[in-house]
Amino acid sequence: MCGIGGYAGSGSMQVLEEMTRRLAHRGPDGKGVWAGEGVGLAHTRLSILDLSSAGSQPMVAPDGSCVLAFNGEIYNYQELRDELQQERETFRSRSDTEVLLMGYRRWGRSVLERLRGMFAFALYDMAHRKLFLVRDRLGIKPLYYAHLNPGIVFGSEIKALLAHPGIRREMNPTAAGAYFELGYVPGPHTIFEGIQALSPGCWLEYGEGRLAIQRYWIPDFSRNGLGGCEDELLDQLDQRLNDAVKSHLVADVPVGAFLSGGIDSSLVCAVAQRHMAKPLRTFTIGFDGGGDERRTARLVAAHIGSDHHEAVATADIVAELPRLVKHLEQPLFDNSVLPTHLVSQTARRHMKVVLSGDGGDEPFAGYEWTRRALSLPRAPGSPPAGTGPIGAACAAWCSGWLTT
């Protein structure tokens, strides 16, 4: 996790420095700023790949044609690097940041079609005098912006945008109403008037006073490419999950994982341990009085052979609220943020990178409501939930990992 920020139009070096200060918790290993005529980029670095200064940012291309501030990780960067080297590109570092920079210089916007990863980045194309903001396909990495008309301010967190004097600190009443109805503020809105989140799978271009946003990726929910019997689908699922988790283990620092004992985190930990020579470090949070997930997490940890760490939440919840509000930035009706915050603090004492299972409980029926949904009556003519080949493969794969 790194932090990025910047502006095009009006701004100053003082604004960039203040952005790095406000984003320092995202990147405690280093900071950098770059300023050109009417444009500036800021970056705070959490060193994961290529820990040397060669991976520092903002990173300028050797010919000075473009400059990049990048947050995230490109999991297929080694393959892209090999491809670029075959096209006679040379590299000064081993970082995925430089691969992205050189990839844009070689392929332009079409580099987005080649990226496999989670990212948010800002790239200034000096030849065309345009600022290019991009967010990954599923929106794993955050990116916010405000159109000042003329001008634009952006950052990984809203607090970075508030460092710019042109940003007003006013509540968005429409977003507030949505929060009370839904329990969160749906994107692209934010609780702040005039500040928006760049939507997942989209790029934003700003130049000559004009702003354009375009979607570069749309999820395909068709069944094209899926076929075969249950065993064949199970093999496909096993391969894809192993490929995904294995790619997330690529780092120049140790990698651990959160383990709640639920379906999603248990699967991630089990697959990760399969691809590690040493025991995976896993982390669980509990509460005084019990009623938490520690017992189940211990069973999973013992089964997969991880190096398991537990912590009991002793923090004063009321005293911790200001810190939570500062990091959340927007209202969120989800009490799981507190244990997530506390287990993150525990893991940070040991390492920089942890894996988590987010979203896996839905397809694998890890929640009580998803299991109940399997017994609901279906529309006439439709198969019962979970009885199709894909649902059966998910259930069989999950059962095989957690019981054998």
Side-chain angles (χ1 to χ4, degrees):
M1 181 173 72
C2 297
I4 65 171
Y7 63 84
S10 64
S12 66
M13 188 64 72
Q14 183 179 1
V15 168
L16 295 177
E17 292 288 355
E18 179 61 19
M19 284 182 166
T20 62
R21 188 187 70 81
R22 298 186 180 202
L23 295 172
H25 59 281
R26 297 184 66 91
D29 296 329
K31 66 177 183 178
V33 297
W34 175 92
E37 184 179 351
V39 63
L41 302 180
H43 185 267
T44 60
R45 185 185 185 196
L46 183 70
S47 303
I48 304 300
L49 292 172
D50 191 350
L51 309 185
S52 72
S53 60
S56 298
Q57 301 182 49
M59 184 177 287
V60 182
D63 61 358
S65 61
C66 47
V67 56
L68 173 68
F70 169 69
N71 168 35
E73 189 168 354
I74 307 300
Y75 297 118
N76 62 333
Y77 81 99
Q78 292 173 321
E79 294 92 328
L80 295 176
R81 180 189 176 101
D82 292 342
E83 187 175 350
L84 287 164
Q85 286 179 323
Q86 291 175 4
E87 298 189 22
R88 301 186 182 278
E89 295 286 358
T90 59
F91 292 85
R92 299 167 293 175
S93 73
R94 296 183 295 103
S95 69
D96 54 347
T97 302
E98 189 176 14
V99 170
L100 175 58
L101 180 64
M102 303 304 283
Y104 176 84
R105 197 180 70 156
R106 169 67 64 173
W107 300 312
R109 286 183 195 156
S110 64
V111 69
L112 300 178
E113 301 170 6
R114 303 169 183 257
L115 300 181
R116 179 186 178 193
M118 54 179 182
F119 50 82
F121 68 83
L123 186 146
Y124 184 62
D125 188 325
M126 288 185 247
H128 299 92
R129 298 177 63 84
K130 289 185 177 181
L131 177 67
F132 194 44
L133 305 181
V134 184
R135 194 173 178 198
D136 63 62
R137 295 178 177 185
L138 297 180
I140 299 173
K141 293 299 182 181
L143 188 55
Y144 300 93
Y145 72 94
H147 190 194
L148 301 181
N149 194 26
I152 186 173
V153 182
F154 65 91
S156 296
E157 297 183 8
I158 294 173
K159 60 177 65 68
L161 278 71
L162 298 179
H164 193 285
I167 301 297
R168 299 174 299 169
R169 302 188 181 207
E170 298 179 3
M171 186 179 70
N172 180 344
T174 301
Y179 164 69
F180 285 116
E181 182 176 354
L182 302 173
Y184 67 98
V185 178
H189 304 287
T190 74
I191 199 66
F192 292 88
E193 188 71 48
I195 298 178
Q196 292 188 296
L198 183 63
S199 296
C202 289
W203 57 254
L204 180 155
E205 184 180 85
Y206 182 83
E208 299 179 348
R210 292 190 294 270
L211 183 150
I213 297 177
Q214 184 170 317
R215 183 172 295 278
Y216 68 87
W217 181 80
I218 299 176
D220 181 7
F221 294 107
S222 71
R223 296 175 62 89
N224 293 338
L226 292 176
C229 65
E230 179 181 319
D231 288 341
E232 292 171 335
L233 288 168
L234 190 151
D235 289 340
Q236 289 186 47
L237 178 62
D238 184 82
Q239 179 181 347
R240 294 188 184 193
L241 284 170
N242 274 272
D243 288 346
V245 174
K246 184 179 179 180
S247 69
H248 284 61
L249 296 174
V250 177
D252 292 329
V253 295
V255 178
F258 294 147
L259 177 57
S260 68
I263 296 295
D264 50 1
S265 67
S266 298
L267 290 177
V268 169
C269 291
V271 176
Q273 187 61 80
R274 170 192 268 188
H275 297 286
M276 298 182 68
K278 297 180 180 180
L280 173 73
R281 286 189 178 182
T282 52
F283 301 89
T284 299
I285 195 77
F287 297 90
D288 287 332
D292 52 46
E293 301 164 321
R294 282 177 291 171
R295 178 181 175 277
T296 310
R298 286 183 205 133
L299 293 173
V300 175
H303 177 68
I304 66 174
S306 68
D307 177 10
H308 193 53
H309 301 257
E310 289 185 2
V312 177
T314 57
D316 184 334
I317 295 177
V318 175
E320 201 69 20
L321 283 178
R323 188 193 299 265
L324 283 172
V325 171
K326 177 183 178 181
H327 289 306
L328 286 174
E329 299 189 317
Q330 300 194 75
L332 178 66
F333 189 74
D334 184 354
N335 58 12
S336 68
V337 296
L338 178 61
T340 301
H341 173 68
L342 296 176
V343 75
S344 297
Q345 288 182 328
T346 300
R348 184 62 183 92
R349 301 188 191 105
H350 300 267
M351 53 190 48
K352 291 181 179 180
V353 181
V354 290
L355 307 181
S356 65
D358 216 8
D361 273 320
E362 286 79 7
F364 289 99
Y367 295 126
E368 180 62 27
W369 67 267
T370 56
R371 290 189 289 272
R372 289 182 179 180
L374 297 178
S375 62
L376 293 176
R378 318 307 292 178
S382 65
T387 60
I390 298 177
C394 287
W397 193 93
C398 180
S399 175
W401 264 106
L402 297 182
T403 60
T404 61

